[in-house]
Amino acid sequence: MAVPPIQAALVGAYVLRQRLRGNRRFPLVLMLEPLFRCNLACAGCGKIDYPDPILRRRLSVAEALGAVDECGAPVVSIAGGEPLLHPEIHTIAAGIVARRKFVYLCTNALLLEKRLDRFTPSPFFTWSVHLDGGREEHDKAVCQPGVYDRAVAAIRAAKARGFRVNINCTLFDGAEPDKVAAFLDEAMAAGIDAVTVSPGYAYERAPDQEHFLNRRKTKELFRAVFARGRGRSWRFSQSSLFLDFLAGNRTYRCAPWGNPTRNVFGWQRPCYLLGEGYAPTFKALMEETDWDAYGTGNYEKCADCMVHSGYEPTAVEDTLRHPLSALAVSLRGPRTDGPMAPEIPLDRQRPAEEVFSRHVADTLRRIEAERTAAE
């Protein structure tokens, strides 16, 4: 796991405090979405499928920093949409760093070079640049040619200015292990600090529904990729046990409360990837959400999910319970052959519900009421 030593120390101390207090559910990473607007329209993304009145909304600096304080997680991942479209995103990031929270600002990097002067390098701040493979693979994923080259140029500029830079890489069905391995080699050679890898999750509103991975394909793909990583110095920002889970060697349950989401709707239930309702406060989210109604084996929409936002918290907890096992995987890498861990049965999962349209309609009515009241 390649994270700054200060992050590992402070996050470890935070988790230990939570356990000593007897807290069963607590946040590790706040997923902060200050807006949904984006300057790309990726086929695998369901975040921009909103009417214009919603896409025009954004969290204020006070709302964003209030969410950070309310949640208390030691790490904040600023996502979207494209966060660099927010005119005050640098102020939000600086406010989080001032609180000694670790910021990962996710971006497609199209605006990164233009915005660099607004940010200051810090061990608490990391750019997380979206790259789904090499030039051909990434430009295809984002549905626009030339994006890969612009992102790579921005990465070089950020590294030259002393920033930490990670890559956020999502792998979809059809990804070729040899090409993924070559991409990871290139990233390490370019001086990238670490890579966050994740299987593509089936956003229910994404235009392309054909290239998301099911759980079996996810495990087979990551086994093939990790097998090619033997002897290579790939640095990942995730725990070794989560990577072992991706390779099919562990049976984990989702812990969506570990990465709670705050966006323009409120606190999203149950997770960053699935909007099934919104709570007005973080406390209400934690106390009033029926967590057992979600996750693989519990809900049809969650059947194929193995994404880090739900399963990394479980892996972190497992790491604390079995540190020697985590160290062994870290040293030798995930196992890439042999039998896989038992899968979670799906025979008792509840059917999917359609709730997206209702939430959008409710929000549009609220926006219209606010507009009318202001006139």
Side-chain angles (χ1 to χ4, degrees):
M1 182 172 63
V3 299
I6 187 175
Q7 179 177 335
L10 292 181
V11 172
Y14 165 84
V15 173
L16 180 59
R17 288 195 303 272
Q18 296 295 327
R19 296 188 72 188
L20 289 174
R21 293 169 183 166
N23 292 337
R24 178 187 168 210
R25 295 181 177 133
F26 55 88
L28 281 174
V29 180
L30 167 61
M31 308 296 290
L32 183 65
E33 293 182 292
L35 79 176
F36 291 139
R37 284 180 56 217
C38 192
N39 45 8
L40 288 175
C42 306
C45 178
K47 289 291 182 178
I48 61 171
D49 185 28
Y50 293 102
D52 286 342
I54 294 176
L55 292 177
R56 287 194 292 266
R57 292 175 75 86
R58 60 177 183 262
L59 296 180
S60 67
V61 173
E63 288 173 324
L65 296 181
V68 173
D69 295 337
E70 189 180 353
C71 175
V75 180
V76 180
S77 177
I78 304 178
E82 171 51 56
L84 289 180
L85 290 173
H86 194 298
E88 297 176 293
I89 196 64
H90 56 291
T91 305
I92 293 172
I96 300 172
V97 169
R99 287 160 166 76
R100 291 179 65 82
K101 308 284 188 181
F102 297 93
V103 178
Y104 287 79
L105 203 162
C106 305
T107 176
N108 57 38
L110 294 181
L111 294 172
L112 182 50
E113 286 191 83
K114 293 181 179 179
R115 303 287 195 266
L116 270 179
D117 288 339
R118 301 182 183 183
F119 297 84
T120 303
S122 165
F124 287 87
F125 181 86
T126 301
W127 293 106
S128 181
V129 177
H130 173 212
L131 280 181
D132 289 342
R135 179 181 292 105
E136 178 183 354
E137 293 76 25
H138 183 65
D139 286 355
K140 180 179 179 181
V142 301
C143 305
Q144 184 173 314
V147 174
Y148 176 87
D149 290 333
R150 292 175 65 182
V152 169
I155 289 171
R156 293 195 183 108
K159 291 297 297 180
R161 296 281 291 274
F163 287 95
R164 282 185 53 84
V165 181
N166 283 9
I167 284 176
N168 181 9
C169 178
T170 304
L171 300 181
F172 295 91
D173 190 18
E176 299 178 31
D178 285 334
K179 289 186 176 181
V180 175
F183 167 69
L184 293 173
D185 285 341
E186 292 171 6
M188 297 302 107
I192 290 297
D193 292 283
V195 177
T196 299
V197 290
S198 183
Y201 174 79
Y203 279 109
E204 60 181 322
R205 308 296 299 184
D208 180 6
Q209 291 289 322
E210 297 181 1
H211 293 92
F212 294 111
L213 291 157
N214 61 37
R215 289 172 74 91
R216 181 71 190 191
K217 287 185 176 180
T218 292
K219 297 170 186 178
E220 291 172 348
L221 172 60
F222 279 94
R223 280 196 171 193
V225 170
F226 293 148
R228 287 158 174 79
R230 302 293 187 197
R232 290 163 157 159
S233 299
W234 293 346
R235 296 182 297 276
F236 295 102
S237 62
Q238 295 134 306
S239 66
S240 61
L241 294 190
F242 173 74
L243 300 178
D244 209 37
F245 163 71
L246 288 181
N249 300 322
R250 296 177 185 271
T251 303
Y252 283 159
R253 292 278 182 177
C254 178
W257 55 84
N259 285 27
T261 296
R262 172 67 162 95
N263 56 36
V264 298
F265 292 127
W267 291 92
Q268 181 167 303
R269 292 190 177 103
C271 67
Y272 172 71
L273 297 162
L274 200 60
E276 296 264 318
Y278 299 88
T281 64
F282 175 70
K283 186 175 187 291
L285 173 76
M286 296 297 284
E287 295 180 356
E288 298 173 11
T289 301
D290 182 5
W291 298 110
D292 293 334
Y294 299 99
T296 302
N298 296 333
Y299 190 34
E300 185 180 1
K301 289 183 181 179
C302 305
D304 288 324
C305 183
M306 294 180 68
V307 178
H308 60 281
S309 58
Y311 290 93
E312 181 69 84
T314 307
V316 169
E317 281 287 303
D318 197 22
T319 298
L320 292 173
R321 287 192 297 267
H322 304 100
L324 295 181
S325 178
L327 177 62
V329 176
S330 179
L331 293 174
R332 64 170 168 76
R335 180 169 55 82
T336 58
D337 56 14
M340 293 185 180
E343 187 53 273
I344 296 173
L346 304 178
D347 57 320
R348 301 184 67 181
Q349 66 182 6
R350 65 187 177 94
E353 297 180 33
E354 172 53 56
V355 297
F356 177 87
S357 299
R358 184 175 73 249
H359 292 315
V360 170
D362 290 344
T363 302
L364 289 175
R365 282 193 293 269
R366 187 165 64 250
I367 291 173
E368 179 60 23
E370 292 171 356
R371 186 188 66 80
T372 301
E375 291 178 347

